[in-house]
Amino acid sequence: MSTSSRFDRGHTDDLMSYLAASPSPYHAVANAAARLEKAGFRQVRETDAWDGAKGGRFVVRGGALIAWFVPEGAKPHTPFRIVGAHTDSPNLRVKPLPDTGSYGWRQIAVEVYGGTLLNTWLDRDLGLAGRVSLRDGSHRLVNVDRALLRVPQLAVHLDRSVNTDGLKLDRQRHMQPIWGLGETEEGDLIRFVAREVGVAAEEITGWDLMPHAIEAPSYLGRDRELVAGPRMDNLLSVHAGTAALAAVSAEAGANSGANSGSGSGKPLPYIPVLAAFDHEENGSQSDTGAEGPLLGTVMERSVLARGGTYEDRARAFAGTVCLSSDTGHAVHPNYGERHDPTHHPRANGGPILKVNVNMRYATDGSGRAVFAAACEKAGVPWQSFVSNNAMPCGTTIGPITAARHGIQTVDIGVAILSMHSARELCGADDPYHLANALAAFLEG
C-alpha cells in the first residue's frame, strides 16, 4: 500500500500550529505527548515496572521523549524501526542570575545556546518560554507569548562601517535583551514569571527559560509554496515523526482479530519508535541527549518486559534501523558556490539523504537502500546532499546513535534555508513528503 495519501498539505498547516505552540523543548515534548495520547499511547514512568503488553507507550524525561508501539504478535527479539530527531534549537538561554542592566535600561542576562545566527535575534519582538522547577520537585511550563524582550541593534549612525565591513557582534556585550526601564532589581524576572505561572516566587527554585520570536509561522511566496517559521531545525522532524508513529500504530490497531497489522493486512514486522532527544545543538552529551543511555535503556527494557533475554536483546538490536531525521541545506540562490557543484537539494524536491564518507553523517550504501525503499513505497521524491569538499560538514544524532547502540543508522531530513536562524524557510510540500516517508519506513 502506498502511504502517500496519509499526509497532505493539511500536515503542513498542522506543523505550523505545532511550531507556534512549541517555543521550548519542554513544550515540544508536551505537545507531542498530547498527540500520542490522543492516538492511544500511554505514558509510563521510568521508575515503574513495565509490562510487555501490546500497544503504544512513551517516556518523557525533561526535553526528550521516547515513544514506541508493540504490535500484536511481537517477539522478544523483534527488531525496532526508529525515527530519531531532536527537540532543541539554537537560541538564547536565561542565566542563573538573570537580572541585569545599565544606563537606566532593565535587561535579562542570557547565554548563547548552540550555533545560532546571532544577527537574526536582533530587533525582533521576543517572548519568554521554558519551564520552572518548584520546591516540591514538580515543574511548570512557561510561555509568555507576547512582546516582552528585544535585543536592539546599534543605529547605523553610531557604526558607519556596518554595511561595508560587516556586522560584528560580541556574544557577551551585544546580545542581552532589554525588557523595561529603571534600576536593576534582584529577583525581578522570577517574580514576573511566578505571576505568569500562578505560583509564589519563593516556590521557584530552578528554571530553564529562553526567549523566542513571537512572529507566527506563515506561508510565503507567490503561490504559497514556501513556509517560514521558527525552530524547523528540528521540530519539523519531531512533528513528522510523531504523526508517522501515530498513523502507523492506528493502522496496526485498526484490524480486529488476533493479527492486527498495517493497512495492508500484514502484521508489523518491527516495533516502531520515535526518539526525540534534547541537546543536539551542543553535542548531545546529557541524560536527555542522544549520547546518553535513554534510548538504549528503553529498548532493552521493552525486550525484557516481553520475556526476552540478553540474546533476544542482541538479536533485536542487530536487526534495528534508525532514520536520523534532521534538517539539511537547500541550495542557496545567492551563495551557490558554497554548495557541492553536483548536489543541489531544492525546496519541495522531497526529503534528502545526507552523506559524508567521514561519518559526520551515518549513511552508507546499505542505508541508502533502506531510505530509497521507504520513499518508493510512500510515493515521494527524494534527493541527495553532500557538503562541498572545501567546507566543513555538520553532524547530527546519527553517528552518535549508531556508535552508542551499535545499530544501523541513516541520516536524512528536509532541505531548508537560513538554518540556525531565528526564522527558517522550507518548501511547503516537504514536511508531508517527509512524514509519508517516515510512516513507510516505520511499518517496514
Side-chain angles (χ1 to χ4, degrees):
M1 168 186 172
S2 171
T3 63
S4 58
S5 61
R6 279 191 177 118
F7 306 110
D8 54 21
R9 184 60 75 91
H11 175 86
T12 304
D13 294 335
D14 190 61
L15 167 64
M16 294 163 68
S17 298
Y18 180 74
L19 293 173
S22 304
S24 78
Y26 313 106
H27 290 84
V29 164
N31 291 324
R35 289 162 183 255
L36 290 171
E37 285 184 330
K38 187 176 180 180
F41 284 67
R42 63 181 177 88
Q43 183 173 357
V44 294
R45 299 183 183 276
E46 293 182 79
T47 53
D48 291 343
W50 295 359
D51 61 49
K54 68 177 183 179
R57 295 167 179 77
F58 65 89
V59 165
V60 171
R61 183 191 289 185
L65 176 147
I66 310 293
W68 67 102
F69 179 82
V70 179
E72 184 78 40
K75 306 297 184 184
H77 59 267
T78 297
F80 300 89
R81 280 273 171 121
I82 305 166
V83 171
H86 65 88
T87 61
D88 60 318
S89 302
N91 60 4
L92 308 175
R93 303 285 177 105
V94 176
K95 289 184 176 181
L97 300 176
D99 302 295
T100 187
S102 59
Y103 304 106
W105 294 96
R106 289 155 63 194
Q107 295 175 274
I108 302 301
V110 297
E111 189 174 3
V112 177
Y113 177 83
T116 187
L117 284 169
L118 296 178
N119 64 295
T120 66
W121 290 87
L122 302 179
D123 298 332
R124 287 185 183 270
D125 295 338
L126 305 174
L128 187 70
R131 69 175 183 178
V132 292
S133 301
L134 304 185
R135 193 175 300 279
D136 63 4
S138 63
H139 304 282
R140 298 284 184 89
L141 292 180
V142 179
N143 187 7
V144 184
D145 197 30
R146 62 180 186 272
L148 179 69
L149 309 168
R150 185 180 179 92
V151 183
Q153 189 169 191
L154 185 64
V156 67
H157 312 80
L158 303 178
D159 185 6
R160 295 288 184 178
S161 64
V162 66
N163 289 325
T164 56
D165 297 341
L167 177 65
K168 298 179 176 63
L169 294 172
D170 183 286
R171 295 159 68 93
Q172 177 63 41
R173 294 184 295 123
H174 299 153
M175 298 306 298
Q176 311 307 312
I178 61 172
W179 76 310
L181 299 172
E183 297 303 316
T184 301
E185 297 181 24
E186 185 178 353
D188 198 17
L189 177 67
I190 298 308
R191 286 192 292 271
F192 168 81
V193 169
R195 290 194 297 271
E196 292 289 320
V197 175
V199 301
E202 56 269 21
E203 291 303 308
I204 297 178
T205 55
W207 51 87
D208 302 280
L209 300 170
M210 56 205 74
H212 68 276
I214 63 172
E215 184 181 1
S218 63
Y219 286 105
L220 183 145
R222 184 193 64 181
D223 299 317
R224 292 164 56 88
E225 70 267 47
L226 302 169
V227 171
R231 299 176 294 279
M232 290 186 182
D233 179 10
N234 184 32
L235 295 190
L236 190 158
S237 294
V238 175
H239 175 261
T242 302
L245 179 61
V248 169
S249 67
E251 290 185 9
N255 297 335
S256 59
N259 292 321
S260 60
S262 67
S264 64
K266 298 178 182 178
L268 284 176
Y270 302 99
I271 295 173
V273 178
L274 170 65
F277 298 104
D278 200 353
H279 301 132
E280 189 272 349
E281 297 293 356
N282 63 4
S284 296
Q285 292 182 324
S286 72
D287 70 314
T288 53
E291 196 162 326
L294 182 59
L295 173 61
T297 298
V298 168
M299 292 194 299
E300 185 169 352
R301 290 185 68 178
S302 177
V303 170
L304 298 177
R306 283 176 278 123
T309 63
Y310 181 83
E311 181 73 8
D312 293 313
R313 177 219 182 265
R315 293 175 66 188
F317 278 44
T320 292
V321 184
C322 173
L323 288 190
S324 166
S325 181
D326 206 340
T327 54
H329 301 294
V331 61
H332 198 300
N334 298 338
Y335 300 90
E337 73 282 359
R338 302 296 182 98
H339 299 267
D340 182 82
T342 58
H343 294 77
H344 293 158
R346 299 174 183 269
N348 288 335
I352 58 175
L353 179 74
K354 300 161 73 172
V355 178
N356 179 264
V357 295
N358 295 300
M359 288 291 104
R360 299 289 286 173
Y361 302 130
T363 306
D364 62 9
S366 176
R368 183 183 191 275
V370 171
F371 178 63
C375 290
E376 181 179 356
K377 180 179 181 181
V380 303
W382 62 278
Q383 313 174 78
S384 293
F385 170 83
V386 64
S387 290
N388 186 307
N389 287 341
M391 304 289 292
C393 180
T395 191
T396 68
I397 65 168
I400 294 171
T401 303
R404 180 74 175 81
H405 306 294
I407 57 179
Q408 182 182 20
T409 304
V410 189
D411 272 299
I412 68 162
V414 163
I416 69 171
L417 291 181
S418 306
M419 187 185 295
H420 288 195
S421 168
R423 192 169 178 85
E424 297 159 324
L425 183 74
C426 77
D429 297 342
D430 284 331
Y432 66 83
H433 284 326
L434 175 66
N436 283 318
L438 295 181
F441 164 75
L442 287 177
E443 73 176 6

